[in-house]
Amino acid sequence: MTTPPLAAPAVAKRRNWLPSLIWLIPIVAALVGVTLVVKLLMERGPEIVLTFRTAEGLEAGKTAVKYKDVQIGTVQNIRLAHDRSHVRVLVQLKKEASGFTAKDTHFWVVRPRLDTSGISGLGTLLSGAYIGADAGTSEDSSGEFTGLETPPIVTRDASGRQFLLRARDVGSLDIGSPVYFRRIKVGQIAAFELDGDGRGVTLRVFINAPYDKFVGVNTRFWHASGFDVELGAGGLKVRTQSLATVLLGGIAFQSPDDVSGPVAQENTAFTLSNDETSAMKEPDGPSQTMLLYFNQSLRGLSPGAPVDFRGVVIGEVKSIGVEFDRDEREFKMPVVIQIYPDRLRRRATTQPDPRFTQLDRWQFLVGKGLRAQLRTGNLLTGQVYVAIDFFPDAPPAKLDTTRNPLELPTAPNSLDELQSQITEIARKLNKVPFDEISGDLRKSIASLNRTLVSSEQLIKGLNDNVSPEMAAAVKDVRRTLSTAEKTIADDSPLQQDLRQTLQEVTRAAGSLRVLTDYLERHPESLLRGKPEDKQK
């Protein structure tokens, strides 16, 4: 059985090709993706690597890099270094932040911090830590930076100027410690470092504008930390800047007599004094070292004690010691002092005669009685200082101008003289024979005791014999007084007779006065009698 032949297939003519609408969705998505990639690549800036000791607070893909609170990049990756000493943080910067690849750019992690400059980074408690940046100015670029462990005190966009301060040590100061002008905070310490010779430190301070114009070439800086206590004749004086300065330390500055000189240029170096008093004093000028020998105790005297001339401090004690004089076979106490003659010249009304040298002047002053003496400066603390003054009654002394340092004669103080006098009195008292005197005194006391006993017996006999007679005499006196009282009473006969007698005397005196008046008028009556008698 045979199969019929297959029919030829019908051929249809193909229509013109048109894509289906469903393909439009992936095409549009692809175009958008390409656009985003191109835009991302065009906006993408350089990549940099930051190294920190720890990655605390950092998170890849989330931690931002900010400058003035504007995000300029993002942390892409965090990994540990091969030696495990630090972490390496890969940061992707934006295109507009390409200037942050300058070699002197600084980066640091912003976290909550409490330091001498105050509390910072509190906003990161909610938003998390981020990396802060300070743009550099160098023309050289770099792709790797070492991050700062603490934020810089002064950023490059801050307005003001920096100055250098030389000091022996930093004391209680630290980076961020405030700088005050008239108790107003005008700056802070930006950095400090040890000098190359190890004999001091150099501090870099930043004074904000516009206060930097008050820093002149004659400005004085001093430690304002803690309390500046002064105990003098006027009482107790305490000076300080603020409570923060007392606790954390600080620096203050001012010009002498409030007269600022020319404005100091940036990076001008100044000396940092220990306190305001030493900072504001005038320059001392050249110094002169002198040697003093005291034959007494130096208790209370210490290096740094003042040396004054009648209340004016002209130097200080540098060192004290002890020496044994083999010739005299005794110990001497040498004291080395450093004085500044210019301190007296500034107060002198006349200039020294240029014809005489400094040694000639010292020789003349010593001849006039110039001596050094130890005196008590404070009775409470027992501190002693060296006083230089004139003692006209001091034994003559000659200055040896060949010695170096120059030896200035000394004089004992009044307390030592008083002690010597007391010692001499005690020595004389020891020579008094107190045992013999006490024996004689006991004998005298015994004799006096016997005398007192005899006196007591005599008084007792007088009481027994004389007392009755004295009682009878007192009775007679009382009777006599009673009789006299009756005699002189107002109603007594004697008083009445006396009154009558006085009346008769009064009448007689009146008659006598009449007779006297008549005789004055008629003296002839003594011879002729009264005229009336003749008529009769």
Side-chain angles (χ1 to χ4, degrees), residues 357-470:
T357 63
Q358 185 72 22
L359 294 178
D360 295 335
R361 298 189 189 96
W362 281 116
Q363 183 67 53
F364 174 77
L365 294 176
V366 170
K368 288 292 185 180
L370 186 69
R371 301 289 187 272
Q373 186 184 61
L374 292 180
R375 294 179 182 175
T376 301
N378 193 315
L379 296 176
L380 297 178
T381 61
Q383 293 179 347
V384 178
Y385 68 97
V386 178
I388 297 179
D389 206 339
F390 288 96
F391 299 86
D393 299 332
K398 187 175 181 180
L399 191 66
D400 187 1
T401 58
T402 61
R403 297 197 58 177
N404 188 19
L406 210 62
E407 181 182 347
L408 185 65
T410 60
N413 59 16
S414 56
L415 182 59
D416 290 337
E417 294 179 356
L418 179 61
Q419 290 178 349
S420 300
Q421 294 175 0
I422 294 176
T423 303
E424 185 66 22
I425 294 174
R427 188 180 298 110
K428 293 180 179 180
L429 289 176
N430 288 332
K431 297 180 181 180
V432 177
F434 288 104
D435 295 337
E436 298 178 3
I437 294 176
S438 62
D440 296 339
L441 184 60
R442 283 194 293 269
K443 293 179 182 179
S444 299
I445 292 174
S447 177
L448 179 61
N449 189 23
R450 290 193 295 271
T451 302
L452 291 176
V453 171
S454 300
S455 299
E456 184 179 359
Q457 294 176 354
L458 176 61
I459 292 172
K460 184 177 181 181
L462 290 174
N463 290 333
D464 295 339
N465 299 327
V466 178
S467 295
E469 298 295 335
M470 292 181 65

Side-chain angles (χ1 to χ4, degrees), residues 113-151:
R113 297 177 186 273
L114 174 62
D115 51 23
T116 56
S117 60
I119 301 175
S120 60
L122 291 179
T124 60
L125 293 174
L126 299 178
S127 61
Y130 63 91
I131 297 177
D134 184 20
T137 59
S138 176
E139 296 181 357
D140 299 332
S141 60
S142 177
E144 187 168 343
F145 300 87
T146 301
L148 303 177
E149 296 302 323
T150 57

